[in-house]
Amino acid sequence: MDAVQDRTFEPKIVGFLCNWCTYAGADLAGVSRLQYPANVRVIRVMCSAAVDPVFVMKALLGGADGVFVGGCHLGDCHYTRGNYFTRRRVAMVKKLLEVIGLEPERLELEWISASEGARFAEAMRDFTQKIKALGPNPVKERKVS
Amino acid sequence: MTEFVPTICPYCGAGCGVLLLVKDGKVTTTTPWAEHPVGEGRLCMKGWYAHEFIYSPDRLTKPLLKVGDSFQETSWENALKVIAEKLSEAKAKDGPDSLAFLSSAKCTNEENYLLQKFVREVIGTNNIDHCARLCHASTVTGLGTAFGSGAMTNDIADIPQSDCVFVIGSDTMSQHPLAARRIILAKEMGAKLIVADPRRVQTARFADLHLKLRPGTNVALLNGIMKSILDHGWENKAFIEERTEGFAELKAVLDTVSLDEAEKITGVPKADIEKAAELYATSKASCIIYAMGITQHTTGTNNVLSIANLAMLTGNIGRPGTGVNPLRGQNNVQGSCDMGALPDLLPGYQRVTDEAKRKKVAEAWGLPDLPTQPGLTLIEIMEAIHAGKVKTMFIMGENPVVSDPDITHVEEALNKLDFLVVQDMFLTETARLADVVLPAASWAEKEGTFTGTGRRVQVLRQAIAPLGESKPDWQIIGELARAMNAEKGFIFASPKEIFEELRKVTPQYAGMDYARLSQPQGLQWPCPAEDHPGTPILHTKQFTRGKGKFHAIPYQAPAESPDAQFPLILTTGRVMTQWHTRSMTGRSPSLNAEFPEGFVEINPQDAKKFKINDKGLVEVSSRRGKIKTRARVTDKVVPGVVYIPMHYVEAAANRLTNSRFDPQAKIPELKVTAVAIKPA
Amino acid sequence: MTKCNEIVQDIVRSMLRAKLVDEVVAFGRGINESDIVPLFITDEKDAEKIVTISYYPCSLAKLVALYGDRNKKIGLVLRPCDARSLVELAKRQQVNLANIYSIGIECYGVVRAGSNSHQVYIFPDTVQMDGETKPLAEDVLAPNCRRCEYMVPTMTDVAVRLLPDGGCLVDANTEKGQAVLEAASIAVTDMPALDLTALKERAARWKEKDFGELKKMAAKDRLHYWLAQWEKCIKCYGCRNACPICYCKECYLEPEKQIVKNEALPPEALFHVGRLLHVGDSCTDCGQCEAACPMGIPVSKLYHMLYEELSPLFDYESGFDLATLPPVSTISDKDLTKTGVTLD
Ligand code: SF4
Ligand code: SF4
Ligand code: SF4
Ligand code: SF4
């Protein structure tokens, strides 16, 4: 079914949020009662660098429509350089998605700090909107296993 | 020192070549053997990890003697003395036919040859059989009567030449992966693929046509296809005329067949039956590939005969890309049959009842004659034990307590024996019941030949010395024979010497010797003379028996049908990384981890009806027993059918299966059992 | 046997004799002329079995990494792709390059797996089979070889350059290489510059063909193409077992890691993608995975395709400089300047 026409399409999104920044940002958004879509299932990680690409791909190949990775701003990583690794990994996974035929836009990396509650809510709105426009993950059309 | 030893995979009948890496006297790993014609440098997972069980801590390294309820280690000398005494005693007291022997399709040609010789010469009975009874006995009888030779007519490597591949009753991707490779290759080169199977096996995903027939309705399906071929005039009249006989009889039966009826029996839509007929009959070269979905039935022989009918009807035999191709299960099940480890056949498929041939073999062994009465088959042996007729048994490398149908019955039988010897690498479920257990060497520790499913005879090379005090089976049999004072015919320094003898009595092997067989491609039998290049394709000019013989086969229902009490049909099979009773794969950590436990597949419709949850524990029962296992709710199986892999002793499908057998081949109906299922 | 083959055997003999190495790993004759198997040679007498034909059934670099003795000095006769794999293995601490003396044979491609049984030598425009020379038909080449642009072994200690007449020129790239040539009393030849234009053009043409077809597809079709390929998979682990970059003693793909589901055939797509994630940045396009695949899945095409995307992104050329670590497991100084790389 065409996603644009399918108004009922509610994407499933997995969010890997770093404990020190983005997760705190999400918390702030919640405390401040900021509205954002409930499509994101949040997984708290100690550092965005702890997001093994294999879990990003497990989510996407398992049928998640989008994956959001949130970490501290560059230079602010609690573990000094973790998010630089994250940046490289996400860049690699995006290329991989393209190569195997999935839209790289299904994966998003944002730097959101603990004080950016409003930015978090906005990022969630934007990303959910973006995935809605992309439509359901085409991986679900053909089951390999 | 580090070197690669080229040898043959010990698992399936595809018979892929492997290289064993031996470092300082230890097997370190297995890799593909690039030059080998079957695998061409590829293996399935079993092949890649075929070395893992060799050093299992469970390996038996000393002979064991049962004292009271437990085993004690003993010396070879003593063990052989005890066995020799008991066998001689039993023979003297109750006659040679009170003894029965099981040979093994996992052992080499030389070992099978030697054991059947021992049984026939030293004991004086034809009571020798092996697990071929459970897999392709009906192939041996069926193709034997139709064509004159009960073996795969073409070769695995030949499949890609086909324009239409018809796979029936074979989960090829899981069971013969390197044969499946050629099927996929054929498909990618443009061949049509028909898969007939009650389950959506992996191969079916690539099929142009998947015929989901009800288990046990093969003949109805094949007759339907043939009927449709005749209706459209697609039969090969010239071939029927010149090369076959008995067509009128077949036609008479087909005249009574209706496609509507076939649809009703098989559950396959009439249009699909016709489509299959068209694809198979109108392609330039069509081949049939089958396995136990055809053979393990009370109508096993009839199923095989129907397949032969179909091939002859369309002239799809004797050319590249055609043929009737049973995929033999065990790595050497072809060879163990060739060697006459069967109660009615001597080496080379010579009947024990054929006096001239029997006397010739006897003469070669320096004897006046051999036992003339055909012996008991596997299932009959178990019956005979219950009836008190067989009292002593000797089992080389088999595990009937898991592999045979109705195992409760088998256990009772083995417990009833006066004396049981088991020769194995491990203390298997069967070995536990033995009075004496002899430690056998593994495939990496001995030399010999294996005959793969394409009739390809190839050399198994020794990579390391036998572990502990274990010995190759051929040595054990030789020593036992000598302990029973049969000196003359049993002194062999090596398997090569045994081969030199066996080729003299096995016409198909006459032209082979180790030097020729040592080439990576081995030799395909028949190879009647030393300058004969071997035979990749059988029946090219004429059939082995002269003319091919059609058989009139009406459809017969399986022995058990679902009823109110047992409303579902159980069919059995295997999984990719396990082998048979898991005595080897269960001890290979990498292989075992992939499919660690048993399960039952059930269609969502039935699951709902019987209140079964996915992954939930269930009880499956039949008229013979019940087991507990986990459910897998999946539309891989059609409604009305459940499926259990046969490997797992904790949830042994064979507690449920029926030992009713095919009247000719005596193969039990492992593929159709009426069962009930409920949450446990 | 070509002159070049004899010279390589000579070099091996001298290395053993001079005790430069304890053992040499090379391809050689097995049970007949066309049976090519890896040999572990400690006795110089066995050097005569070594062949340099254009056939390369497994990665010797991986073999040494897994089964070679770390404390021994090992000579290794290999092709450029495998020599690059050796460097990648060294970066991952799987081999001790200081103890390895590598002899690289110039390579214009090898024949496809399973099509052996010939004495075959491949040159830039010709192929010599069983003594007969013919123009090179590109379809005899393994698919990865057609995309290869690394013909000259610049990353080995000794480089052996092929000449169309079957002879060769020998050069040393390193001090260890010089020691080898001294031991063999071979004078270092000044290598004439080699014009690789035509071969690079061949590589570009095949990349365009192999990858272009896929890239031109709509994304969804490409996805379905790969999903369909993966449906053929029987989870033999052959691709992983054959891949020189897959060195791990404990592999992510195995059931006990509980990442890829077991008890399922074909395995879920993650089985393939998981390995792609680990290897994609460093794939040397050696083709071993594809050659090992029983089901004819174009495995190395996929890995090479990703590598070709990642290489310019991370400015990383796998298999050359020991000091440059795999891009995904490292960060560079440039990363830290925030603007130095555009990864977003
Ligand atoms: S296909 Fe059969 S013979 Fe070949 S590697 Fe697998 S189990 Fe062994
Ligand atoms: S992924 Fe394939 S081509 Fe790439 S290095 Fe590994 S084996 Fe070679
Ligand atoms: S797939 Fe990954 S974890 Fe497994 S061997 Fe390859 S690199 Fe290692
Ligand atoms: S080699 Fe091929 S079949 Fe085997 S695991 Fe890899 S992709 Fe699957």
Side-chain angles (χ1 to χ4, degrees), chain A residues 52-55 57-58 61 74-75 81 84-85 87-89 91-103 109 111 137-139 141-145, chain C residues 219-220 222-224 226-228 231 252 259 264 266-270 273-274 276-277 302 306 309-310 314 327-332 335-336 338 341 343-344:
Chain A
D52 189 321
V54 105
F55 294 114
M57 287 313 298
K58 193 173 171 79
L61 294 171
L74 291 171
R81 290 178 174 186
Y84 289 96
F85 285 99
R87 184 164 67 160
R88 282 183 169 245
R89 286 180 194 153
M92 180 209 24
V93 175
K94 279 173 167 285
K95 284 289 178 204
L96 183 148
L97 290 173
E98 202 177 309
V99 165
I100 66 168
L102 275 168
E103 302 89 336
L109 172 62
W111 312 129
N137 184 344
V139 133
E141 291 164 17
R142 184 178 187 132
K143 211 159 172 271
V144 172
S145 185
Chain C
K220 209 177 194 179
R222 188 157 67 241
L223 179 71
H224 281 280
W226 286 114
L227 293 178
E231 276 195 14
Y252 255 62
I259 294 170
E268 56 181 321
L270 191 63
V273 171
L276 185 57
L277 282 167
L302 176 62
L306 179 59
E309 295 289 328
L310 298 180
F314 295 122
V328 183
S329 48
T330 185
I331 47 175
S332 71
D335 287 39
L336 301 179
K338 285 192 182 188
V341 279
L343 294 174
D344 319 286

Side-chain angles (χ1 to χ4, degrees), chain B residues 12-83:
Chain B
C12 91
C16 302
V18 297
L19 297 175
L20 281 179
L21 182 62
V22 182
K23 198 176 168 189
D24 305 324
K26 273 198 93 163
V27 174
T28 316
T29 194
T30 316
T31 62
W33 180 7
E35 185 61 15
H36 192 271
V38 178
E40 295 182 315
R42 289 102 175 168
L43 298 173
C44 79
M45 194 186 180
K46 290 189 284 292
W48 276 102
Y49 295 92
H51 59 285
E52 276 192 346
F53 69 84
I54 296 175
Y55 297 105
S56 159
D58 296 347
R59 276 289 298 276
L60 297 174
T61 52
K62 280 200 160 74
L64 301 176
L65 205 62
K66 188 160 280 160
V67 181
D69 278 341
S70 60
F71 285 110
Q72 274 177 11
E73 290 182 352
T74 184
S75 68
W76 271 103
E77 209 189 347
N78 187 45
L80 289 172
K81 200 174 109 227
V82 171
I83 298 170

